[in-house]
Every structure is written in C-alpha cells, then in structure tokens.
Amino acid sequence: MLRVYNTLSREKEVFEPVEEGLVKMYVCGLTVQNYSHIGHIRSAINYDVIRRYLEYLGFEVQYISNFTDINEKIVLRAEEEGITPEELADKYAKAFLEDIKELNIRPADMYLRVSENIDEIIEMVQTLVEKGYAYEADGNVYFSVESFEDYGKLSGRTIEDMQAGARIEVKEDKRHPMDFALWKKVEPGKGWESPWGEGWPGWHIECSAMSMKRFGATFDIHGGGTDLIFPHHENEIAQSEAYSGKKFVKYWLHNGTVNLKGEKMSKSVGNFFTTREVLKHFSGEIVRYFLLSRHYGSPIDFSFEQLEEAETAYKRLSNTRKQLAGILTGHIGNNQENKEANNKFSRAIKIRQEEFEEAMDDDFNTARTIGVIHDFAGDINRFINRTGFELNEKNFSLLNEAEEVFMLLADVMGLEFSSAENYANDSELLNSLVDILLDLRESAREEKDWEKADLIRDRLKEVGIVVKDTPRGPKWEISSKLRDEEV
RNA sequence: GGCGGCAUAGCCAAGUGGUAAGGCAGAGGACUGCAAAUCCUUUAUUCGACGGUUCAAAUCCGUCUGCCGCCUCCA
C-alpha cells in the first residue's frame, strides 16, 4: 500500500487517486532562461522515479510539466544574447530536453508553455475578478488574499504571521501587502492584449490555468521543490480553488533542494553547477544514482567528492549486472545441484523485491531502495561465486530470474547499470585493436615473458585502457580518468 | 521577528516504540607471475546535550545547543 507525504496535511497518507487506476500529475518545470542546474535535475529525476513506480504499481500516469517562457529575466537575457525572447526560451527548453535525456529522465507527456496558453489565463483572471477574488488597479490585476479563507493552508502560516516579518516592498496599488499579481501591466509592444490593457500573466497563474485546462479542476499530484511551497504553490491553491470552488490538488509533493557547502543552489546567488558542467565529469547514471541515494524530501549536499563516492558504489551494481549478463550467455554445464543454496537464493530474489516495494511504498524511499539493490547484488554475487561459473540448468534459470527482477527494480529507478559498457563499446575498431594487443599479451604471458606482458598493459594504461586479468581471461575498460579528460 | 525542517560511525545515509539498513573509506581474506580490477568477510552496547513517559525510546514529550530552509526570483 503506497503512502505519500502530503505537504498539505504534513502527514503520510494512503495514496488513492481521484479516478481509480489513473494518476494525473503536474510538476513545476523551469523558467527557460538558462541551462538547467543540478537542483532542477533533482526535481526532474525525483518525479520521474515517482512516475515510474506508479506505473510499476499498475497505474496509468498522465505527467505534465511546463516551461515558463515569459518573464522579465527572459527578456533581459535575450537582450544580452542578442536574440528574441522566443528564441531564447526555445534554446533553453531544447537544452533542458537534451539534459534530461542524458539522465534517462523520461520527458513529460506534455510541456505547457505560458505563451501558448494566454487565453486560458486571461479567462481565469477574468473569472476571479467577477467572483470578487481579484481586482484591477491601474492595468494590474491582483488576487486578494483576504478574500480566500484558507490562504496559508499549504505553508502553514497566517496572513498576520507573514506580514510581521515581510520584506517585500508594498506596491501602492495593492489593497493588502500580501496580495499577488495575476496580471502585470507591461510597456506597450511587449505583452499581450487583455481586458486590462497590455500585460503579462503573473508568475503563479500559469500553473493553475494550464494544469486545470488539461486535468480539470482537481488532480492528484502536484510536485516541485520545497522552495516553491511559498509563495508559488500557496498562491496556486488560492487562485485555483477560488476559481473552481473545488479542491485543486489531492497530494502536494515537494523535493528538497540541492545545496552547495550547506547553502541552497540558486540562480540568483550564483552558487550552482549546470547539468552540463557536471555531466562533463560524471555520466548521467552516476548523477542519478547519487541524487537518488537520499530521500527526496531532504536537502542534499552536492560535491564532486560525493559523486566520486557514488561512482564507486554504482560500479559495484553495474559489475553485478555485467557479470550476470556474461554468465547467462555462457554454456550450461552440469555441476552438482546444491538444493539448499538454490532455495536460499530463490527466496532471496522474492524477498528483495518485497523489500524494494516496501521501501518505495513508504513515500518513495529511494535511499532505502538503493540499500536493497546492494543487498540483492550481494546475493547474486555470492550465488555466482558458489557455482564457480559452471551453471547447471537450475542455476541458470535462477540467475535468469534474478536478472529479470534486478533489472525490473533498476528500471523503476531509471538506472541501467550499463554505462561502463557503453564507453567500452563505443567503437568497434577500438575493440578489435585492443583485442589484438591483449592476444599478444596473452601469448607473452604463456611464455612467461612478464616484461613484455607488463609493457603492453602499462602502455595501454597510459592511453586510458585498464586491463584486468580475470579467471575467465583478460577484460578491459576505459578508465574514468580518460573520460574526464576527453570532455 | 514569524513558520517549518534537520542533528545517527572517519564521511554519506536509512530507520519514527521492541533493541542500529546500505554505501564510501579502513581492516582481513580469495583470485593473480606481480598488479589492477573484482568478489567475500568485517567495522556504532549506540543515535547533538540534559530531563521525563514506558516493561521497552534513535524513535514519544519537555528544555537546551548547533545547523538549514521559507517569509523576495527560485526545482
């Protein structure tokens, strides 16, 4: 039974979508003004895994996200780069889609753009004005927080609380300092026509208008970073529920921020690493593994040291996968049946899957899940060692089953455990060349010509190819150091 | 100032009433001509401090200390 932590209730609740079997989830995307950074990626990975697990459980999932392509920053940035705001937004939206591909994040079913939903937004603002929840003042339209009784229910604060320490400069034309803009007046020629003159949508209205347009007044999951709880999501609730008179979102999920030396990465502070920068040094799989090794709700401290550690841990799992793949393409022998070991292993396969589900059912606890996968890898490694690489039919079918389950779990995490192979198999030419050299080295070794054998190994190492002698012949791979220098 | 969160081994990190997952680093072993890599084994009488509730607490309550987030654009 899946339970999720709902920010709205501050409790773990049993997950039951509004419509049986169908989950509608909306995740706040980014303002396409620059390349994505690791904080955005954490969010994207998190909801990607949630989506995958919901599907694993048998739900149909409709996953929608957005690109905010209208705001001052985009205009400024476009001027800097000497292109139009549309071109800028396009450029970074495209870049984001490339980034998430590297990280094996499945794209949303739909990315909604503010610029393509202006009519819906205007309609919504208009209705809010008609219903008395919003008012116009000199070409701007504001939502009146005092008109919405539940204002503050998501972030757990009252209007009075917030006012006490408010740091915002109060705009003259607002009736209440906490009122927020639904529609902003802009200079002629820069905005859209509206009943209140030319302008732009306010920041919060887009998500409400676009999500309700696709999903209806109520949907199941709304996700985003904890830094969006207030004011963004609080305001979304206010305007959406005021508009429809219905509950807006059933489960509010929030992922923790990515920190750098203890402080939140953010565009404004400038203390962030772009996804591209990080991917120059580590594969998407490693980054993904690292980000999933903590519970999604907690903040996570980012550093390259931590990524290196993650890479080592990750390799253990990809080795198990590789070993499994290798042995399953081998011959079936007929070594002796060890019933006890077989039964134990058979049970382990089942138990690991159960543990995995238990961890995921507990608010998508991927940190625990990774522990389970490590335990599972240990089970598999031990079992393979016991067989001495000579499989009988029973071993074979058990390992086959193990591989299936292992990859099923890996798939929910979006991990493939195959990046090392990808690097090694990049070029067929490279493969054959290294094979020739290793053949030469093997004959040298047979003749106990260690000097020649070591020379070959050392020279290969110099160019970044690491040779490993295993009981089943020499293996090689491209070292991670070389990968770093290449890029 | 208001609201919220966190504090678990050298490091990272699960665990929210029943006696401390997992990873990294360290130690030992297997394999090897030697390596490297890999695999196996092992590593917290104890959970920021002090009180309290309980047969039983890292887990609940209170006080204190430290760190962080939000209250302004943010994933």
Side-chain angles (χ1 to χ4, degrees), chain A residues 103 135 160 263 294 314:
Chain A
L103 286 141
Y135 57 93
E160 297 78 62
E263 266 181 46
R294 278 80 168 159
Y314 172 85

Side-chain angles (χ1 to χ4, degrees), chain A residues 232-245:
Chain A
H232 188 52
H233 290 163
E234 190 70 69
N235 292 352
E236 274 190 55
I237 291 178
Q239 66 206 6
S240 304
E241 299 193 347
Y243 170 81
S244 72

Side-chain angles (χ1 to χ4, degrees), chain A residues 47-268:
Chain A
Y47 297 106
D48 181 53
V49 169
I50 288 176
R51 172 200 212 174
R52 286 167 188 260
Y53 188 61
L54 290 169
E55 287 177 352
Y56 171 98
L57 291 178
F59 291 107
E60 182 195 337
V61 180
Q62 291 177 1
Y63 182 110
I64 293 181
S65 188
N66 70 293
F67 289 129
T68 298
D69 60 353
I70 298 174
N71 75 13
E72 287 95 330
K73 284 182 184 169
I74 290 181
V75 172
L76 281 174
R77 200 56 217 217
E79 275 169 20
E80 267 174 46
E81 297 198 15
I83 52 179
T84 68
E86 293 75 37
E87 285 169 336
L88 184 103
D90 259 2
K91 174 182 166 183
Y92 290 116
K94 209 171 279 172
F96 176 72
L97 294 175
E98 284 166 18
D99 289 348
I100 65 170
K101 196 172 178 197
E102 282 295 304
L103 286 141
N104 199 25
I105 296 167
R106 287 166 51 197
D109 296 320
M110 217 184 268
Y111 288 96
L112 303 172
R113 294 182 191 225
V114 186
S115 63
E116 291 166 5
N117 292 274
I118 298 289
D119 291 347
E120 289 75 14
I121 291 171
I122 290 175
E123 190 275 319
M124 189 172 164
V125 176
Q126 225 165 350
T127 305
L128 285 169
V129 173
E130 281 161 21
K131 285 193 168 185
Y133 288 106
Y135 57 93
E136 192 223 330
D138 187 31
N140 295 302
V141 181
Y142 296 105
F143 185 91
S144 162
V145 293
E146 286 167 311
S147 71
F148 186 70
E149 208 187 332
D150 284 342
Y151 194 75
K153 69 176 173 183
L154 181 70
S155 53
R157 39 187 114 183
T158 62
I159 295 173
E160 297 78 62
D161 283 347
M162 288 181 277
Q163 251 183 294
R167 280 185 270 155
I168 45 168
E169 2 173 327
V170 179
K171 282 191 93 180
E172 295 269 318
D173 53 2
K174 283 187 188 178
R175 290 185 194 162
H176 184 100
M178 298 307 296
D179 288 352
F180 57 91
L182 298 172
W183 189 262
K184 284 183 190 167
K185 183 165 99 178
V186 296
E187 288 170 43
K190 286 197 168 175
W192 278 261
E193 272 310 317
S194 81
W196 318 281
E198 197 170 334
W200 281 345
W203 173 38
H204 317 293
I205 193 75
E206 55 187 73
C207 289
S208 293
M210 298 194 295
S211 60
M212 289 199 288
K213 177 185 174 188
R214 308 290 161 170
F215 284 153
T218 305
F219 55 94
D220 303 297
I221 293 176
H222 193 128
T226 51
D227 51 355
L228 294 181
I229 294 173
F230 191 89
H232 188 52
H233 290 163
E234 190 70 69
N235 292 352
E236 274 190 55
I237 291 178
Q239 66 206 6
S240 304
E241 299 193 347
Y243 170 81
S244 72
K246 291 177 185 155
K247 189 185 183 78
F248 179 44
V249 168
K250 197 165 179 193
Y251 305 98
W252 284 93
L253 269 42
H254 289 98
N255 58 280
T257 53
V258 177
N259 299 163
L260 206 55
K261 293 184 181 141
E263 266 181 46
K264 193 184 88 176
M265 267 192 201
S266 79
K267 282 179 191 167
S268 49

Side-chain angles (χ1 to χ4, degrees), chain A residues 328-476:
Chain A
L328 286 171
T329 52
H331 295 291
I332 297 183
N334 47 16
N335 76 333
Q336 231 174 7
E337 195 79 44
N338 181 337
K339 265 208 170 136
E340 203 190 325
N342 286 348
N343 287 338
K344 198 175 159 196
F345 187 52
S346 176
R347 236 178 297 128
I349 297 170
K350 201 169 266 167
I351 287 170
R352 295 311 177 202
Q353 187 168 2
E354 282 167 11
E355 288 173 341
F356 172 87
E357 289 172 8
E358 215 174 287
M360 288 302 280
D361 276 347
D362 185 14
D363 194 29
F364 312 105
N365 194 333
T366 56
R368 225 161 98 196
T369 297
I370 283 182
V372 173
I373 295 178
H374 269 282
D375 284 337
F376 193 16
D379 297 331
I380 294 168
N381 291 337
R382 276 186 296 274
F383 186 74
I384 291 179
N385 285 353
R386 195 174 298 122
T387 64
F389 298 92
E390 282 293 318
L391 301 188
N392 58 39
E393 250 175 82
K394 180 68 181 165
N395 298 152
F396 191 87
S397 77
L398 279 173
L399 282 170
N400 228 336
E401 192 189 331
E403 195 206 23
E404 246 168 61
V405 174
F406 191 78
M407 292 316 292
L408 181 68
L409 309 188
D411 190 55
V412 174
M413 307 292 281
L415 296 169
E416 290 170 341
F417 298 126
S418 61
S419 56
E421 268 173 324
N422 289 344
Y423 283 108
N425 293 334
D426 264 354
S427 151
E428 266 188 48
L429 179 66
L430 179 67
N431 277 328
S432 10
L433 283 174
V434 176
D435 284 345
I436 292 169
L437 288 166
L438 289 184
D439 281 349
L440 284 172
R441 178 166 172 267
E442 280 312 287
S443 54
R445 291 179 80 210
E446 265 163 42
E447 289 159 24
K448 297 204 188 297
D449 185 352
W450 308 125
E451 233 172 87
K452 192 191 273 176
D454 288 352
L455 181 72
I456 294 173
R457 186 175 61 196
D458 293 345
R459 294 294 299 272
L460 280 172
K461 196 177 175 191
E462 277 170 32
V463 299
I465 291 169
V466 180
V467 177
K468 304 180 279 190
D469 292 323
T470 77
R472 293 183 296 154
K475 301 262 183 205
W476 64 276

